Amino acid sequence: MLKCENLERLDDAARGEDSTITRISKVPAPKITAEMIRDMKARGEKIPALTAYDFPMARLLDEVGIPLMLIGDSLGMVVLGYPDTTRVTMADMEHHVRAAARAKPRSLVVADLPYGGYETIESAVTNAKRLVTAGAEAVKAEGGREILPQVQAIISSGIPFLGHLGMLPQHVLEEGGYHVKGKSEPEHQALLADADALVKAGAFAIVLELVTPRVAKELTQRLPVPTIGIGAGPDCDGQILVTPDLLGMLPWYSLKHVKPKLNVAEQMRSVVKEWKESVEA
Ligand code: KIV
């Protein structure tokens, strides 16, 4: 159903040509919606999701058939060079959402509401609408019951919402680092209650970041909507990664939850060095 292209048989007779020949022609597959992502769980289909921050990345991910691309506020670290996501602004998010959306992907384009962008119901709805105007088709914000009025208002305004529980990178300064969640019983219970509340509010899926694999599995079995894990073990309904981490573009950081599948940084260095030397020679 969510395959990259639809093949449709067209009877040539219908086009006034030889009726004995049936051609197979490509027609564009339907745009992926938040409902389609939600329904993948019921069909037992896994959800591979990745981040994109610009036109080429969005286009490449879409050509491979990634069904959900996130314009994540991780762009603060992996594109803008900030130490964490807390300095990313709405203007930054809009700029990168516009760039990715210009690829006109079939994938669902989800954009992060940045730090400080959903403190009140009014700011949450205004900023979610700004992201949609920039090209997003759904928004994500970090938190559970503490942001429930904002989540309800975003969904009531007609914008699909992706939840984000577990380690919340926008809280990294208060928390003093990136810590795994769900190890203690109060954390475990809080995750269950937050996830239930987001589902009740109408979230179409929930990202689980750095949640213990045991609790991520329990949430995946408990919730009617997909869980999309990052550093949360293998038992989620989908997995999401920050694309530059997967490609080995950031050799200065090492992460436990992702082993780069390429070494783009080293390949770039060596190609650039070779070209530089050829010019100098
Ligand atoms: O900003 C981001 O890229 C994210 C993913 C890590 C899920 O929120």
Side-chain angles (χ1 to χ4, degrees):
M1 176 74 134
L2 295 183
K3 294 284 181 264
C4 219
E5 58 193 22
N6 265 359
L7 294 180
E8 187 183 69
R9 282 175 186 275
L10 292 180
D11 191 338
D12 285 351
R15 297 186 295 148
E17 295 172 30
D18 184 350
S19 63
T20 60
I21 302 168
T22 300
R23 288 213 186 123
I24 296 181
S25 82
K26 288 180 185 177
V27 293
K31 180 81 182 89
I32 295 173
T33 63
E35 293 75 40
M36 285 161 85
I37 297 290
R38 187 196 57 209
D39 295 348
M40 286 172 81
K41 177 165 185 148
R43 287 198 300 274
E45 288 175 37
K46 292 285 184 185
I47 304 165
L50 285 169
T51 62
Y53 312 101
D54 56 23
F55 172 85
M57 188 70 86
R59 187 146 177 182
L60 288 170
L61 299 187
D62 199 49
E63 283 175 4
V64 177
I66 292 293
L68 185 158
M69 68 175 67
L70 173 69
I71 321 307
D73 62 352
S74 50
L75 73 87
M77 293 142 90
V78 303
V79 178
L80 302 178
Y82 291 135
D84 55 57
T85 60
T86 61
R87 300 191 206 178
V88 175
T89 63
M90 267 304 294
D92 293 330
M93 289 306 306
E94 288 174 300
H95 179 74
H96 287 273
V97 170
R98 279 191 212 105
R102 275 181 210 117
K104 296 192 178 23
R106 184 181 168 238
S107 323
L108 181 72
V109 176
V110 184
D112 264 333
L113 280 161
Y115 181 80
Y118 47 102
E119 280 178 353
T120 63
I121 293 177
E122 292 70 31
S123 65
V125 173
T126 302
N127 288 328
K129 286 183 177 168
R130 278 176 62 179
L131 293 174
V132 169
T133 303
E137 294 149 336
V139 299
K140 171 166 88 56
E142 298 180 3
R145 287 161 295 170
E146 73 281 17
I147 61 160
L148 211 56
Q150 290 93 317
V151 175
Q152 286 162 338
I154 289 169
I155 294 172
S156 299
S157 76
I159 300 173
F161 183 83
L162 175 62
H164 186 150
L165 295 175
M167 198 289 136
L168 307 180
Q170 292 176 7
H171 292 246
V172 66
L173 299 177
E174 297 145 55
E175 300 215 352
Y178 298 90
H179 306 299
V180 174
K181 297 289 168 152
K183 287 182 178 166
S184 69
E185 199 41 31
E187 271 180 13
H188 170 206
Q189 292 306 327
L191 281 165
L192 299 187
D194 285 333
D196 288 345
L198 289 178
V199 169
K200 197 159 172 233
F204 70 87
I206 302 179
V207 168
L208 299 178
E209 179 159 1
L210 297 186
V211 170
T212 62
R214 185 181 65 82
V215 175
K217 184 173 181 183
E218 182 182 349
L219 283 166
T220 302
Q221 288 167 346
R222 175 189 181 96
L223 302 179
V225 303
T227 58
I228 305 181
I230 173 162
D235 295 313
C236 296
D237 298 301
Q239 297 289 334
I240 185 163
L241 284 178
V242 170
T243 307
D245 293 338
L246 178 66
L247 301 182
M249 293 169 78
L250 304 160
W252 314 282
Y253 314 108
S254 78
L255 297 166
K256 281 197 190 126
H257 66 269
V258 48
K259 287 215 182 336
K261 300 276 186 216
L262 258 185
N263 193 340
V264 166
E266 195 40 47
Q267 286 173 321
M268 264 185 81
R269 282 194 199 110
S270 99
V271 168
V272 171
K273 184 167 178 280
E274 196 183 305
W275 179 81
K276 170 180 169 279
E277 286 168 0
S278 78
V279 173
E280 288 165 350

